[in-house]
Amino acid sequence: MEKTQKRGTAGLKFTKAIIYVVCIFLAILSIFPFWIMFVNATRSTAEIQSGLSLLPSTHLISNLQVLLGKSFDPIQGFLNSFIISSSATILTVYFSSLAAYGLVTYNWKLRNAFFTFILCVMMIPAQASAIGFYQFMYKLQWTNNFLPLILPAIAAPAVVFFMRQYLLATLSLEIVEAARVDGSGEYKTFNRIILPLMIPAVATQAIFAFVANWNNLFMPLILLTKKEMYTMPIMVSLLRGDIYKLEFGSIYLGLALTALPLFIVYFLLSRYIIAGVALGGVKE
Amino acid sequence: MRRKVVNYSKYGYFFTFPFVVAFVIFSLYPILYTAVIGFTDMKGLVPKPIHILDNPFQNFKDLIFNNPSFRKSLFNTGLLWIVNFIPQIVLALLLTAWFTNQRLKIKGQGAFKVLFYMPNIITASTIAILFSTMFAYPMGPINSLFQSLGLSDAPIYFLQDKTTVRGIVSFIQFWMWYGNTLIILIAGVMGINPALFESASIDGANGIQTFFRITLPSLRTILLFTLITSMVGGLTMFDIPQLFLLGGPDDSTLTTTMFIYGQAFKGSYLYNRAAAASMILFAIAAFLSAILFYVMRDRDAAKLKKAEKENRKSARAAVEREV
C-alpha cells in the first residue's frame, strides 16, 4: 500500500518536471526572438554578422542615426497610428455598448433577428470586400484620408456580442426603471448610468480594439499612398526594402522601436488583457 | 384617470441604428459592389463605368481553370493554416489539461500565460521582418545559433528552400496564436461545472480519462469558436507571408489575400479579377463555417429533444387510451 503510494508521488513528480521543462522551453521561445531584436538594436552590423550575442553592445546611437538618416520616420508613423487607433477605439466601444444596451434592455420586434444577424456578420472576413470598399472610397475621394480607417469601427459585431453577454450577466433592469422614475431620458440614462457601469467590459474591449487597429496592415496599405500618412505597420514594411539592405543594426532598432510601446502597454495591462481574452472566448 | 403609457421599445431601433448604418455603408455595400465588380471588366488605374461581361462568370472561370497562381495561393493558404493549426490546438489542449489539473498544481501559471500570449500583441509586420532578418544569409542570428550548436558547418540559405520557408511561416503563425488559444480553452474549462470533475474522481477516473470523457466534450462550443475564428483568420492570412518574403520563393508562401492584393493594388489594377477572387474566398469561408457548424452541432442535445418529443407523444397516447 505504502509502496504504491510512493510510486504514485514519484510519477507525479516526474510528470511535473516534464511539464515545467516544456513550459520553460516555451517561455524562452516566446522571449528569444524579441531578446535578439533588442540586443541587436544596440550592436553594429559587423558585430551582428560575426555571431550571436545575448548581451547588448554600444552602437545604439549610431544605429539610430543611420535609421533616421533615411526615409524612416517613426514619430510620424506613431502619430498617424495613434490618431487612427484611438478614434476607431472610441467609436467601437461607444457604439457597440449602445447597440448591446439596445439589444438587452428593449423588447423590440426585430431583436432576435438583429442578434442572429450580428452572429453571421462576425464571420465575414474584412478582406473579402476590400475591392468594393477601395472603389467606393476612391469615388468619394477618401483615399489618403483617415476617415475610411476610422468610421467603419462603428459597426464592430464581435464587440457588440461581447458587450451583450456582459450586460446580460450584470445589468438589472431596475436601475433603468429607477432612472426613468427620476425623469432621466433614455439616452441620458445610457450615457450617465449604464456606460459607467460597463467600464470593465469597455476597458478590455478598448485594449483589443486599439491593438487590432494599431496592427492593421491590409487596409492602410491599400488606402494610404502618401508617405506622411503612413501608419506604423507600413513604416515597418519600409525596413524590408533595399534602403536598409545591409544595415542590420538599424533594421533591428527600427523593429524594436515599433514593438517597444506595445511591450510596455502589454506588461502594464497583461492581467486585464489575459482576462479579456478569456472572457471573449467564453461564448455560450 | 387616464394613464399615459410610454412604449420604450422604439429605443431598441434607435440604439442599434448607428451600427446598422455603418454596416450598410462600410460592409454590406462594399461586399455587394465587390460581387458586381467580379462580373465586369473593370481594370486600370482610373476605372471605366461598370460593364457586365457577356459571359458574367468569365472572371471566375479564368481564375479557377486558367490561373495556376490563384490555385497555388488557395493551396498555400490551406496548407499554411492546417500546418499551423493542428500543432497549435494540440499544444494548447495539452497545456490546458496540465494547467487545469488539480492534482498537478502547476506553479507560475500566470507568468507562463503572460509570456505565451506575448507574441500575439506585437505587430505582425514587425514579427515577419524580425524573422526574415533572423534567418539572414550567410550570417544571421539563426545561422550563428546553428553553427555554435554544431547543427551545421556551413551557413544555410534557409529562405531559398520552399519547404523551409513554408515551415517558418507556419511556425510564426503557430507561435503567435497558441497562447491565445490556450487562454480561451482554459477559460472554457473553468466554466465547466466542478461537480462533473468531482464525481469523475470519485468514480476513479484518471487524468487522461477525465480529459477525454469530461473536459473535451464540455468544450465543444469553445472549440467551435476557436476553429471558426482561426479558420477565418487563416483564410485571410496576409501580414506574415507578405512581409516575410513577399510570397516567395517561387510563390510558395503566396496566400489568397496576397494574390488579391497583388492583382488589384500592386500596379496591375485588375480589379475584376481581384474581386472575383475575393468572392471565391468569401464563398469558401461561408461554406467551411457551415460545415463546421454542422459537424460540431450538439448531437446529444438534438437527440434529447427528439426523445423528449417522443416521450410526450407516447404519454399523450397513454392518457388518451386511459380516457
mmCIF file of all heavy atoms in Angstrom, chain A residues 16 20 29-30 49 101 106-107 125 128-129 132 135 139 180 186-187 215 236 240 258 266, chain B residues 8-9 14-15 31 33-34 104 107 114-115 123 126 129 139 141 175 236 243-244 271 278:
data_model
loop_
_atom_site.group_PDB
_atom_site.id
_atom_site.type_symbol
_atom_site.label_atom_id
_atom_site.label_comp_id
_atom_site.label_asym_id
_atom_site.label_seq_id
_atom_site.Cartn_x
_atom_site.Cartn_y
_atom_site.Cartn_z
ATOM 1 N N LYS A 16 5.457 16.325 -13.367
ATOM 2 C CA LYS A 16 5.557 17.759 -13.126
ATOM 3 C C LYS A 16 6.867 18.309 -13.660
ATOM 4 O O LYS A 16 6.895 19.398 -14.244
ATOM 5 C CB LYS A 16 5.444 18.047 -11.626
ATOM 6 C CG LYS A 16 4.008 18.105 -11.159
ATOM 7 C CD LYS A 16 3.916 18.349 -9.683
ATOM 8 C CE LYS A 16 3.761 19.799 -9.342
ATOM 9 N NZ LYS A 16 3.323 19.992 -7.942
ATOM 10 N N TYR A 20 7.218 21.355 -16.323
ATOM 11 C CA TYR A 20 7.970 22.596 -16.122
ATOM 12 C C TYR A 20 9.001 22.796 -17.218
ATOM 13 O O TYR A 20 9.188 23.910 -17.709
ATOM 14 C CB TYR A 20 8.634 22.613 -14.737
ATOM 15 C CG TYR A 20 7.650 22.934 -13.632
ATOM 16 C CD1 TYR A 20 7.385 22.029 -12.617
ATOM 17 C CD2 TYR A 20 6.980 24.156 -13.626
ATOM 18 C CE1 TYR A 20 6.462 22.312 -11.619
ATOM 19 C CE2 TYR A 20 6.055 24.457 -12.634
ATOM 20 C CZ TYR A 20 5.807 23.532 -11.641
ATOM 21 O OH TYR A 20 4.891 23.839 -10.665
ATOM 22 N N LEU A 29 11.129 30.370 -25.811
ATOM 23 C CA LEU A 29 10.777 30.509 -27.229
ATOM 24 C C LEU A 29 9.996 31.808 -27.465
ATOM 25 O O LEU A 29 10.145 32.447 -28.512
ATOM 26 C CB LEU A 29 9.930 29.310 -27.642
ATOM 27 C CG LEU A 29 9.817 29.003 -29.131
ATOM 28 C CD1 LEU A 29 11.169 28.630 -29.676
ATOM 29 C CD2 LEU A 29 8.831 27.860 -29.348
ATOM 30 N N SER A 30 9.178 32.203 -26.504
ATOM 31 C CA SER A 30 8.427 33.447 -26.657
ATOM 32 C C SER A 30 9.329 34.662 -26.563
ATOM 33 O O SER A 30 9.109 35.665 -27.226
ATOM 34 C CB SER A 30 7.352 33.569 -25.571
ATOM 35 O OG SER A 30 6.364 32.605 -25.750
ATOM 36 N N GLN A 49 26.960 40.384 -37.750
ATOM 37 C CA GLN A 49 27.412 39.397 -38.744
ATOM 38 C C GLN A 49 28.423 38.430 -38.158
ATOM 39 O O GLN A 49 28.598 37.333 -38.665
ATOM 40 C CB GLN A 49 28.037 40.114 -39.934
ATOM 41 C CG GLN A 49 27.074 41.076 -40.605
ATOM 42 C CD GLN A 49 26.700 40.659 -41.986
ATOM 43 O OE1 GLN A 49 27.542 40.278 -42.762
ATOM 44 N NE2 GLN A 49 25.421 40.704 -42.292
ATOM 45 N N TYR A 101 -26.744 47.579 -25.434
ATOM 46 C CA TYR A 101 -27.744 48.031 -24.468
ATOM 47 C C TYR A 101 -29.131 48.000 -25.105
ATOM 48 O O TYR A 101 -30.104 47.556 -24.487
ATOM 49 C CB TYR A 101 -27.375 49.437 -23.992
ATOM 50 C CG TYR A 101 -28.349 50.031 -23.011
ATOM 51 C CD1 TYR A 101 -28.454 49.511 -21.726
ATOM 52 C CD2 TYR A 101 -29.150 51.104 -23.360
ATOM 53 C CE1 TYR A 101 -29.345 50.049 -20.825
ATOM 54 C CE2 TYR A 101 -30.047 51.651 -22.456
ATOM 55 C CZ TYR A 101 -30.145 51.120 -21.186
ATOM 56 O OH TYR A 101 -31.024 51.644 -20.296
ATOM 57 N N TYR A 106 -34.397 46.727 -24.415
ATOM 58 C CA TYR A 106 -35.701 46.982 -25.024
ATOM 59 C C TYR A 106 -36.233 45.736 -25.710
ATOM 60 O O TYR A 106 -35.465 44.952 -26.284
ATOM 61 C CB TYR A 106 -35.588 48.134 -26.027
ATOM 62 C CG TYR A 106 -35.057 49.370 -25.380
ATOM 63 C CD1 TYR A 106 -33.751 49.777 -25.610
ATOM 64 C CD2 TYR A 106 -35.843 50.090 -24.503
ATOM 65 C CE1 TYR A 106 -33.251 50.897 -24.993
ATOM 66 C CE2 TYR A 106 -35.347 51.221 -23.875
ATOM 67 C CZ TYR A 106 -34.050 51.617 -24.124
ATOM 68 O OH TYR A 106 -33.560 52.710 -23.497
ATOM 69 N N ASN A 107 -37.548 45.638 -25.665
ATOM 70 C CA ASN A 107 -38.185 44.480 -26.258
ATOM 71 C C ASN A 107 -38.811 44.891 -27.588
ATOM 72 O O ASN A 107 -39.952 45.297 -27.655
ATOM 73 C CB ASN A 107 -39.264 43.978 -25.283
ATOM 74 C CG ASN A 107 -39.695 42.593 -25.652
ATOM 75 O OD1 ASN A 107 -39.098 41.992 -26.556
ATOM 76 N ND2 ASN A 107 -40.722 42.096 -25.011
ATOM 77 N N PRO A 125 -14.996 37.825 -43.477
ATOM 78 C CA PRO A 125 -13.652 38.387 -43.454
ATOM 79 C C PRO A 125 -13.621 39.763 -44.135
ATOM 80 O O PRO A 125 -14.188 39.930 -45.214
ATOM 81 C CB PRO A 125 -12.804 37.373 -44.235
ATOM 82 C CG PRO A 125 -13.773 36.572 -45.016
ATOM 83 C CD PRO A 125 -15.098 36.660 -44.354
ATOM 84 N N ALA A 128 -12.590 40.301 -47.810
ATOM 85 C CA ALA A 128 -13.428 39.867 -48.923
ATOM 86 C C ALA A 128 -14.111 41.036 -49.607
ATOM 87 O O ALA A 128 -14.493 40.947 -50.770
ATOM 88 C CB ALA A 128 -14.467 38.862 -48.439
ATOM 89 N N SER A 129 -14.271 42.162 -48.895
ATOM 90 C CA SER A 129 -14.951 43.301 -49.512
ATOM 91 C C SER A 129 -13.984 44.419 -49.872
ATOM 92 O O SER A 129 -14.395 45.517 -50.204
ATOM 93 C CB SER A 129 -16.024 43.824 -48.565
ATOM 94 O OG SER A 129 -15.411 44.272 -47.378
ATOM 95 N N GLY A 132 -14.357 46.355 -53.450
ATOM 96 C CA GLY A 132 -15.501 47.256 -53.491
ATOM 97 C C GLY A 132 -15.300 48.443 -52.560
ATOM 98 O O GLY A 132 -15.625 49.582 -52.907
ATOM 99 N N GLN A 135 -12.894 50.907 -54.205
ATOM 100 C CA GLN A 135 -13.527 51.640 -55.311
ATOM 101 C C GLN A 135 -14.477 52.708 -54.789
ATOM 102 O O GLN A 135 -14.516 53.824 -55.292
ATOM 103 C CB GLN A 135 -14.303 50.667 -56.212
ATOM 104 C CG GLN A 135 -13.418 49.755 -57.029
ATOM 105 C CD GLN A 135 -12.572 50.531 -58.018
ATOM 106 O OE1 GLN A 135 -12.937 51.607 -58.448
ATOM 107 N NE2 GLN A 135 -11.417 50.000 -58.352
ATOM 108 N N LYS A 139 -14.115 56.765 -55.252
ATOM 109 C CA LYS A 139 -15.137 57.644 -55.820
ATOM 110 C C LYS A 139 -15.457 58.808 -54.889
ATOM 111 O O LYS A 139 -15.735 59.908 -55.339
ATOM 112 C CB LYS A 139 -16.414 56.845 -56.101
ATOM 113 C CG LYS A 139 -16.310 56.132 -57.417
ATOM 114 C CD LYS A 139 -17.653 55.596 -57.859
ATOM 115 C CE LYS A 139 -17.470 54.757 -59.094
ATOM 116 N NZ LYS A 139 -18.386 53.616 -59.104
ATOM 117 N N ARG A 180 -35.811 56.113 -14.963
ATOM 118 C CA ARG A 180 -36.998 56.649 -15.647
ATOM 119 C C ARG A 180 -37.896 57.386 -14.673
ATOM 120 O O ARG A 180 -38.395 58.468 -14.964
ATOM 121 C CB ARG A 180 -37.781 55.510 -16.282
ATOM 122 C CG ARG A 180 -37.290 55.196 -17.678
ATOM 123 C CD ARG A 180 -38.061 54.038 -18.265
ATOM 124 N NE ARG A 180 -37.278 53.454 -19.323
ATOM 125 C CZ ARG A 180 -37.348 52.189 -19.697
ATOM 126 N NH1 ARG A 180 -38.172 51.368 -19.077
ATOM 127 N NH2 ARG A 180 -36.597 51.745 -20.664
ATOM 128 N N GLU A 186 -33.872 58.339 -22.045
ATOM 129 C CA GLU A 186 -33.209 57.057 -22.324
ATOM 130 C C GLU A 186 -31.725 57.233 -22.669
ATOM 131 O O GLU A 186 -30.880 56.472 -22.227
ATOM 132 C CB GLU A 186 -33.928 56.341 -23.468
ATOM 133 C CG GLU A 186 -35.369 55.960 -23.145
ATOM 134 C CD GLU A 186 -35.481 55.034 -21.950
ATOM 135 O OE1 GLU A 186 -34.878 53.948 -21.989
ATOM 136 O OE2 GLU A 186 -36.170 55.390 -20.977
ATOM 137 N N TYR A 187 -31.404 58.249 -23.466
ATOM 138 C CA TYR A 187 -30.000 58.466 -23.836
ATOM 139 C C TYR A 187 -29.180 58.905 -22.640
ATOM 140 O O TYR A 187 -28.054 58.471 -22.447
ATOM 141 C CB TYR A 187 -29.891 59.505 -24.951
ATOM 142 C CG TYR A 187 -30.371 58.970 -26.270
ATOM 143 C CD1 TYR A 187 -31.656 59.209 -26.712
ATOM 144 C CD2 TYR A 187 -29.528 58.184 -27.060
ATOM 145 C CE1 TYR A 187 -32.114 58.697 -27.911
ATOM 146 C CE2 TYR A 187 -29.967 57.669 -28.254
ATOM 147 C CZ TYR A 187 -31.260 57.922 -28.684
ATOM 148 O OH TYR A 187 -31.703 57.396 -29.858
ATOM 149 N N ASN A 215 -2.319 47.276 -35.256
ATOM 150 C CA ASN A 215 -1.618 46.244 -36.033
ATOM 151 C C ASN A 215 -2.147 46.065 -37.442
ATOM 152 O O ASN A 215 -1.579 45.293 -38.211
ATOM 153 C CB ASN A 215 -1.707 44.892 -35.307
ATOM 154 C CG ASN A 215 -0.838 44.872 -34.075
ATOM 155 O OD1 ASN A 215 0.017 45.721 -33.902
ATOM 156 N ND2 ASN A 215 -1.045 43.892 -33.218
ATOM 157 N N VAL A 236 7.015 50.007 -40.793
ATOM 158 C CA VAL A 236 7.813 48.807 -40.553
ATOM 159 C C VAL A 236 8.145 48.131 -41.869
ATOM 160 O O VAL A 236 9.268 47.694 -42.096
ATOM 161 C CB VAL A 236 7.055 47.819 -39.646
ATOM 162 C CG1 VAL A 236 7.846 46.551 -39.468
ATOM 163 C CG2 VAL A 236 6.763 48.443 -38.318
ATOM 164 N N ARG A 240 12.020 46.618 -44.763
ATOM 165 C CA ARG A 240 12.310 45.438 -45.564
ATOM 166 C C ARG A 240 12.933 45.822 -46.902
ATOM 167 O O ARG A 240 13.563 45.030 -47.556
ATOM 168 C CB ARG A 240 11.000 44.693 -45.829
ATOM 169 C CG ARG A 240 11.175 43.223 -45.766
ATOM 170 C CD ARG A 240 10.046 42.460 -46.374
ATOM 171 N NE ARG A 240 10.474 41.097 -46.554
ATOM 172 C CZ ARG A 240 11.270 40.719 -47.511
ATOM 173 N NH1 ARG A 240 11.690 41.576 -48.388
ATOM 174 N NH2 ARG A 240 11.634 39.442 -47.603
ATOM 175 N N THR A 258 9.255 49.960 -32.993
ATOM 176 C CA THR A 258 7.832 49.763 -33.264
ATOM 177 C C THR A 258 7.194 48.824 -32.248
ATOM 178 O O THR A 258 5.997 48.879 -32.021
ATOM 179 C CB THR A 258 7.591 49.182 -34.659
ATOM 180 O OG1 THR A 258 8.177 47.884 -34.713
ATOM 181 C CG2 THR A 258 8.173 50.057 -35.724
ATOM 182 N N TYR A 266 1.677 46.171 -22.820
ATOM 183 C CA TYR A 266 1.323 44.786 -22.511
ATOM 184 C C TYR A 266 1.697 44.427 -21.085
ATOM 185 O O TYR A 266 0.898 43.850 -20.354
ATOM 186 C CB TYR A 266 1.990 43.837 -23.501
ATOM 187 C CG TYR A 266 1.670 42.394 -23.220
ATOM 188 C CD1 TYR A 266 0.352 41.944 -23.259
ATOM 189 C CD2 TYR A 266 2.660 41.486 -22.895
ATOM 190 C CE1 TYR A 266 0.041 40.632 -22.994
ATOM 191 C CE2 TYR A 266 2.360 40.165 -22.638
ATOM 192 C CZ TYR A 266 1.051 39.740 -22.677
ATOM 193 O OH TYR A 266 0.741 38.443 -22.408
ATOM 194 N N TYR B 8 -41.328 51.953 -24.721
ATOM 195 C CA TYR B 8 -39.913 52.220 -24.894
ATOM 196 C C TYR B 8 -39.284 51.413 -26.017
ATOM 197 O O TYR B 8 -38.132 51.598 -26.345
ATOM 198 C CB TYR B 8 -39.157 51.935 -23.594
ATOM 199 C CG TYR B 8 -39.459 52.924 -22.500
ATOM 200 C CD1 TYR B 8 -40.308 52.597 -21.454
ATOM 201 C CD2 TYR B 8 -38.888 54.193 -22.540
ATOM 202 C CE1 TYR B 8 -40.581 53.526 -20.456
ATOM 203 C CE2 TYR B 8 -39.163 55.115 -21.546
ATOM 204 C CZ TYR B 8 -39.996 54.769 -20.512
ATOM 205 O OH TYR B 8 -40.262 55.685 -19.536
ATOM 206 N N SER B 9 -40.070 50.471 -26.578
ATOM 207 C CA SER B 9 -39.406 49.511 -27.468
ATOM 208 C C SER B 9 -38.761 50.176 -28.680
ATOM 209 O O SER B 9 -37.806 49.665 -29.225
ATOM 210 C CB SER B 9 -40.398 48.443 -27.920
ATOM 211 O OG SER B 9 -41.412 49.039 -28.677
ATOM 212 N N PHE B 14 -33.521 52.744 -32.204
ATOM 213 C CA PHE B 14 -32.647 53.922 -32.186
ATOM 214 C C PHE B 14 -31.224 53.541 -31.808
ATOM 215 O O PHE B 14 -30.268 53.999 -32.402
ATOM 216 C CB PHE B 14 -33.168 54.955 -31.171
ATOM 217 C CG PHE B 14 -34.472 55.587 -31.541
ATOM 218 C CD1 PHE B 14 -35.220 56.273 -30.593
ATOM 219 C CD2 PHE B 14 -34.954 55.508 -32.850
ATOM 220 C CE1 PHE B 14 -36.433 56.860 -30.935
ATOM 221 C CE2 PHE B 14 -36.160 56.092 -33.199
ATOM 222 C CZ PHE B 14 -36.913 56.766 -32.242
ATOM 223 N N PHE B 15 -31.099 52.681 -30.780
ATOM 224 C CA PHE B 15 -29.772 52.404 -30.239
ATOM 225 C C PHE B 15 -28.943 51.516 -31.160
ATOM 226 O O PHE B 15 -27.719 51.532 -31.098
ATOM 227 C CB PHE B 15 -29.873 51.778 -28.834
ATOM 228 C CG PHE B 15 -30.165 52.782 -27.753
ATOM 229 C CD1 PHE B 15 -30.639 54.046 -28.084
ATOM 230 C CD2 PHE B 15 -29.949 52.475 -26.414
ATOM 231 C CE1 PHE B 15 -30.910 54.984 -27.105
ATOM 232 C CE2 PHE B 15 -30.222 53.412 -25.430
ATOM 233 C CZ PHE B 15 -30.708 54.668 -25.767
ATOM 234 N N ILE B 31 -19.340 44.828 -50.067
ATOM 235 C CA ILE B 31 -19.362 43.408 -50.435
ATOM 236 C C ILE B 31 -20.179 43.221 -51.712
ATOM 237 O O ILE B 31 -19.742 42.544 -52.657
ATOM 238 C CB ILE B 31 -19.941 42.544 -49.299
ATOM 239 C CG1 ILE B 31 -18.892 42.367 -48.222
ATOM 240 C CG2 ILE B 31 -20.363 41.175 -49.829
ATOM 241 C CD1 ILE B 31 -19.278 41.427 -47.144
ATOM 242 N N TYR B 33 -20.800 45.476 -53.957
ATOM 243 C CA TYR B 33 -20.044 46.138 -55.003
ATOM 244 C C TYR B 33 -18.926 45.209 -55.505
ATOM 245 O O TYR B 33 -18.723 45.041 -56.721
ATOM 246 C CB TYR B 33 -19.475 47.437 -54.430
ATOM 247 C CG TYR B 33 -19.005 48.449 -55.440
ATOM 248 C CD1 TYR B 33 -19.166 48.256 -56.809
ATOM 249 C CD2 TYR B 33 -18.398 49.634 -55.016
ATOM 250 C CE1 TYR B 33 -18.743 49.203 -57.708
ATOM 251 C CE2 TYR B 33 -17.974 50.590 -55.917
ATOM 252 C CZ TYR B 33 -18.145 50.366 -57.272
ATOM 253 O OH TYR B 33 -17.706 51.305 -58.157
ATOM 254 N N THR B 34 -18.223 44.575 -54.556
ATOM 255 C CA THR B 34 -17.165 43.639 -54.934
ATOM 256 C C THR B 34 -17.746 42.521 -55.781
ATOM 257 O O THR B 34 -17.165 42.131 -56.811
ATOM 258 C CB THR B 34 -16.495 43.048 -53.682
ATOM 259 O OG1 THR B 34 -16.122 44.100 -52.819
ATOM 260 C CG2 THR B 34 -15.271 42.228 -54.046
ATOM 261 N N LEU B 104 -1.970 18.298 -10.220
ATOM 262 C CA LEU B 104 -0.615 18.717 -10.589
ATOM 263 C C LEU B 104 -0.225 20.041 -9.932
ATOM 264 O O LEU B 104 0.918 20.229 -9.521
ATOM 265 C CB LEU B 104 -0.503 18.857 -12.109
ATOM 266 C CG LEU B 104 -0.533 17.539 -12.881
ATOM 267 C CD1 LEU B 104 -0.646 17.815 -14.371
ATOM 268 C CD2 LEU B 104 0.720 16.734 -12.612
ATOM 269 N N LYS B 107 2.857 25.591 -10.747
ATOM 270 C CA LYS B 107 3.105 26.945 -10.224
ATOM 271 C C LYS B 107 3.503 27.882 -11.362
ATOM 272 O O LYS B 107 3.968 27.456 -12.409
ATOM 273 C CB LYS B 107 4.224 26.900 -9.185
ATOM 274 C CG LYS B 107 3.764 26.300 -7.887
ATOM 275 C CD LYS B 107 4.835 26.452 -6.813
ATOM 276 C CE LYS B 107 4.542 25.541 -5.647
ATOM 277 N NZ LYS B 107 5.368 24.312 -5.682
ATOM 278 N N VAL B 114 1.226 34.904 -19.424
ATOM 279 C CA VAL B 114 1.639 36.232 -19.907
ATOM 280 C C VAL B 114 2.690 36.083 -21.007
ATOM 281 O O VAL B 114 2.614 36.736 -22.050
ATOM 282 C CB VAL B 114 2.178 37.081 -18.738
ATOM 283 C CG1 VAL B 114 2.893 38.320 -19.264
ATOM 284 C CG2 VAL B 114 1.046 37.498 -17.814
ATOM 285 N N LEU B 115 3.654 35.182 -20.800
ATOM 286 C CA LEU B 115 4.722 35.027 -21.795
ATOM 287 C C LEU B 115 4.218 34.348 -23.064
ATOM 288 O O LEU B 115 4.572 34.744 -24.171
ATOM 289 C CB LEU B 115 5.886 34.233 -21.199
ATOM 290 C CG LEU B 115 6.700 34.998 -20.167
ATOM 291 C CD1 LEU B 115 7.770 34.104 -19.555
ATOM 292 C CD2 LEU B 115 7.351 36.226 -20.805
ATOM 293 N N THR B 123 2.946 43.748 -33.316
ATOM 294 C CA THR B 123 2.529 43.909 -34.707
ATOM 295 C C THR B 123 3.077 42.802 -35.596
ATOM 296 O O THR B 123 4.275 42.544 -35.606
ATOM 297 C CB THR B 123 3.022 45.265 -35.231
ATOM 298 O OG1 THR B 123 2.794 46.243 -34.240
ATOM 299 C CG2 THR B 123 2.335 45.636 -36.500
ATOM 300 N N THR B 126 6.037 43.619 -37.774
ATOM 301 C CA THR B 126 7.317 43.627 -37.063
ATOM 302 C C THR B 126 7.853 42.211 -36.934
ATOM 303 O O THR B 126 9.034 41.954 -37.195
ATOM 304 C CB THR B 126 7.132 44.241 -35.655
ATOM 305 O OG1 THR B 126 6.640 45.563 -35.796
ATOM 306 C CG2 THR B 126 8.423 44.254 -34.891
ATOM 307 N N ILE B 129 9.196 40.744 -40.331
ATOM 308 C CA ILE B 129 10.501 41.252 -40.753
ATOM 309 C C ILE B 129 11.579 40.790 -39.780
ATOM 310 O O ILE B 129 12.691 40.460 -40.177
ATOM 311 C CB ILE B 129 10.458 42.778 -40.883
ATOM 312 C CG1 ILE B 129 9.477 43.132 -41.995
ATOM 313 C CG2 ILE B 129 11.829 43.339 -41.194
ATOM 314 C CD1 ILE B 129 9.262 44.586 -42.189
ATOM 315 N N MET B 139 25.221 35.310 -42.713
ATOM 316 C CA MET B 139 25.382 35.378 -41.271
ATOM 317 C C MET B 139 24.183 36.059 -40.642
ATOM 318 O O MET B 139 24.028 37.264 -40.738
ATOM 319 C CB MET B 139 26.659 36.186 -40.938
ATOM 320 C CG MET B 139 27.942 35.396 -41.019
ATOM 321 S SD MET B 139 27.859 33.799 -40.199
ATOM 322 C CE MET B 139 27.714 34.287 -38.497
ATOM 323 N N PRO B 141 21.382 35.625 -36.993
ATOM 324 C CA PRO B 141 21.306 35.005 -35.667
ATOM 325 C C PRO B 141 21.023 33.508 -35.708
ATOM 326 O O PRO B 141 21.629 32.748 -34.942
ATOM 327 C CB PRO B 141 20.151 35.751 -35.008
ATOM 328 C CG PRO B 141 20.101 37.057 -35.686
ATOM 329 C CD PRO B 141 20.547 36.822 -37.089
ATOM 330 N N TRP B 175 3.270 30.143 -33.369
ATOM 331 C CA TRP B 175 3.929 30.784 -32.234
ATOM 332 C C TRP B 175 3.141 31.994 -31.766
ATOM 333 O O TRP B 175 3.053 32.297 -30.581
ATOM 334 C CB TRP B 175 5.327 31.156 -32.713
ATOM 335 C CG TRP B 175 6.204 31.886 -31.779
ATOM 336 C CD1 TRP B 175 6.861 31.366 -30.698
ATOM 337 C CD2 TRP B 175 6.579 33.263 -31.867
ATOM 338 N NE1 TRP B 175 7.613 32.336 -30.115
ATOM 339 C CE2 TRP B 175 7.461 33.513 -30.809
ATOM 340 C CE3 TRP B 175 6.271 34.303 -32.732
ATOM 341 C CZ2 TRP B 175 8.032 34.752 -30.592
ATOM 342 C CZ3 TRP B 175 6.843 35.531 -32.511
ATOM 343 C CH2 TRP B 175 7.709 35.759 -31.456
ATOM 344 N N THR B 236 -7.575 34.495 -44.375
ATOM 345 C CA THR B 236 -7.218 35.854 -44.749
ATOM 346 C C THR B 236 -5.775 36.186 -44.343
ATOM 347 O O THR B 236 -5.413 37.352 -44.232
ATOM 348 C CB THR B 236 -8.169 36.857 -44.092
ATOM 349 O OG1 THR B 236 -8.182 36.604 -42.692
ATOM 350 C CG2 THR B 236 -9.571 36.714 -44.624
ATOM 351 N N LEU B 243 5.125 40.191 -45.625
ATOM 352 C CA LEU B 243 6.345 40.897 -45.246
ATOM 353 C C LEU B 243 7.496 39.943 -44.964
ATOM 354 O O LEU B 243 8.640 40.362 -44.915
ATOM 355 C CB LEU B 243 6.083 41.781 -44.016
ATOM 356 C CG LEU B 243 5.177 42.966 -44.323
ATOM 357 C CD1 LEU B 243 4.966 43.807 -43.094
ATOM 358 C CD2 LEU B 243 5.766 43.818 -45.442
ATOM 359 N N PHE B 244 7.221 38.679 -44.805
ATOM 360 C CA PHE B 244 8.310 37.733 -44.554
ATOM 361 C C PHE B 244 9.136 37.546 -45.816
ATOM 362 O O PHE B 244 10.351 37.718 -45.811
ATOM 363 C CB PHE B 244 7.737 36.395 -44.069
ATOM 364 C CG PHE B 244 8.796 35.393 -43.709
ATOM 365 C CD1 PHE B 244 9.707 35.673 -42.712
ATOM 366 C CD2 PHE B 244 8.871 34.183 -44.363
ATOM 367 C CE1 PHE B 244 10.688 34.761 -42.380
ATOM 368 C CE2 PHE B 244 9.843 33.261 -44.029
ATOM 369 C CZ PHE B 244 10.758 33.550 -43.038
ATOM 370 N N TYR B 271 -8.940 44.941 -61.119
ATOM 371 C CA TYR B 271 -9.948 44.921 -60.066
ATOM 372 C C TYR B 271 -10.958 43.797 -60.260
ATOM 373 O O TYR B 271 -11.415 43.189 -59.307
ATOM 374 C CB TYR B 271 -10.674 46.267 -60.000
ATOM 375 C CG TYR B 271 -9.770 47.398 -59.619
ATOM 376 C CD1 TYR B 271 -9.504 48.424 -60.498
ATOM 377 C CD2 TYR B 271 -9.151 47.408 -58.373
ATOM 378 C CE1 TYR B 271 -8.646 49.456 -60.153
ATOM 379 C CE2 TYR B 271 -8.297 48.429 -58.022
ATOM 380 C CZ TYR B 271 -8.047 49.448 -58.910
ATOM 381 O OH TYR B 271 -7.203 50.459 -58.563
ATOM 382 N N SER B 278 -11.907 37.511 -54.456
ATOM 383 C CA SER B 278 -12.457 37.807 -53.127
ATOM 384 C C SER B 278 -13.750 37.054 -52.897
ATOM 385 O O SER B 278 -13.997 36.539 -51.801
ATOM 386 C CB SER B 278 -12.769 39.296 -52.981
ATOM 387 O OG SER B 278 -11.683 40.075 -53.328
#
